Amino acid sequence: MIIKEIHNLSILDSPSIILIREIMEENINLALNMVPLERFRPHVKTNKILEICEILKSKGVNKFKASTISELEMLGIAGAPDVLLAHQPTFVKMERFLKMIHSYPGTKFSCIFDNYENLNYFNELLKSFKITQDIYIDINVGMNRTGVSPSHLITLFEEALKLDNINIIGFHIYDGHIRETDIDERNRIVNEAFQQAYSKIETLEKKYNKKFIIIAGGSPSFSVHAQNPRVECSPGTFIFWDWKYSKILPDLNFKCAVYVISRVISIINSKKICLDVGHKAIASENPFPRIIFLDFPEAKSISQSEEHLVLEIEDTSNVKVGDIFIGIPDHICPTIALHEYLHVVEKGEYLYDWKVMAKNRKINI
């Protein structure tokens, strides 16, 4: 589909985001062709939309991953059977997590831990509610963000075994730092990082005569982990894709399904214009360019503030105030979280809106 041929695009205010549903469906189907359903656990942190979770469920997806309590609750509302909170809960979130279990009994919730003291506190809280809870141990294989180091994994595991209300069912490994463009190099680094953890997991499996669930990777390493029968894969960005991943991961055939609509609000001079797509409309944690415009790919971002983006283009003589500029976000995940609704396009026509339900820190619980 040629995005600019959406015939009723002009009725939408800006800045806003549109979803080409056919492209999103293609991305989902491509992912499902890469890995068996039983090993597919998509991360909802990118989409945050109830209707999309329901579409995934309708295609047979029963396992999900989330980063926030709101995302967890959205999946509870969707009736997702198996949901992992891949973000170690602290004290307040532990209480919200337990309320979630009570409120959505049809969903089996689990969470990750990398710290004995925190896990022990959770165990005491579980005791007071007379609950036994499934958890995964989070392992750091180089992201250096969360997770126990592989060298300390066995110690943490065996300490956690002594906690009566904790049931360790598996391990969580995130390798988002590995984004090599060369697929052979990416395969090598992903597998080397994974092996750091897997060698320890194998030791525990032999010692305790038990097979554990292993959840690993995101979108960049998806194609690598998809080849490993021991791994549940948990990509998130795949569903919408973005400019950054399309550049650095050309071997993955996902397509950009979400676009940002902006308008010219001022013509500064013969080379510069100002658009209405500021920090509040597009993720701004990365350097320029934060958005690539379809009709002006050579446009140079000069400055950005809360509601404004100044661009330098070759010639402004054919541009007028009110013109629509359509762009692909460099980073889609935080961009989605900046918008209350996503405008859905089917067969070249804007038809309806989906609420970005889990953008808020709280839905009900």
Side-chain angles (χ1 to χ4, degrees), residues 1 20 29 46 57 115 124 143 160 191 207 224 234 240 245 270 274 279 285 288 290 337 341:
M1 173 187 292
I20 312 303
N29 291 336
T46 299
K57 268 190 67 190
N115 175 279
E124 293 302 313
M143 186 77 184
N191 286 323
K207 182 174 181 179
V224 185
S234 56
F240 290 159
Y245 277 0
S270 64
C274 184
H279 298 151
E285 82 279 15
F288 291 141
R290 295 162 183 161
Y341 292 95

Side-chain angles (χ1 to χ4, degrees), residues 213-281:
I213 300 167
I214 303 173
I215 301 170
S219 291
S221 58
F222 180 30
S223 62
V224 185
H225 292 303
Q227 300 170 49
N228 186 343
R230 281 304 313 272
V231 172
E232 284 187 6
C233 301
S234 56
T237 306
F238 80 95
I239 201 158
F240 290 159
W241 217 229
D242 57 25
W243 181 257
K244 177 171 61 181
Y245 277 0
S246 68
K247 285 188 301 180
I248 66 175
L249 305 170
D251 57 292
L252 296 176
N253 294 315
F254 301 111
K255 298 175 183 176
C256 295
V258 172
Y259 296 81
V260 175
I261 301 172
S262 63
R263 284 183 171 86
V264 177
I265 59 171
S266 184
I267 298 172
I268 301 168
N269 55 37
S270 64
K271 297 284 187 181
K272 293 179 183 177
I273 57 175
C274 184
L275 307 184
D276 59 358
V277 59
H279 298 151
K280 294 176 181 176

Side-chain angles (χ1 to χ4, degrees), residues 47-66:
N47 73 76
K48 299 180 182 288
I49 293 170
L50 177 63
E51 289 83 353
I52 293 177
C53 296
E54 290 172 338
I55 289 169
L56 287 163
K57 268 190 67 190
S58 74
K59 292 179 181 289
V61 178
N62 290 318
K63 302 173 184 178
F64 295 85
K65 188 164 115 172

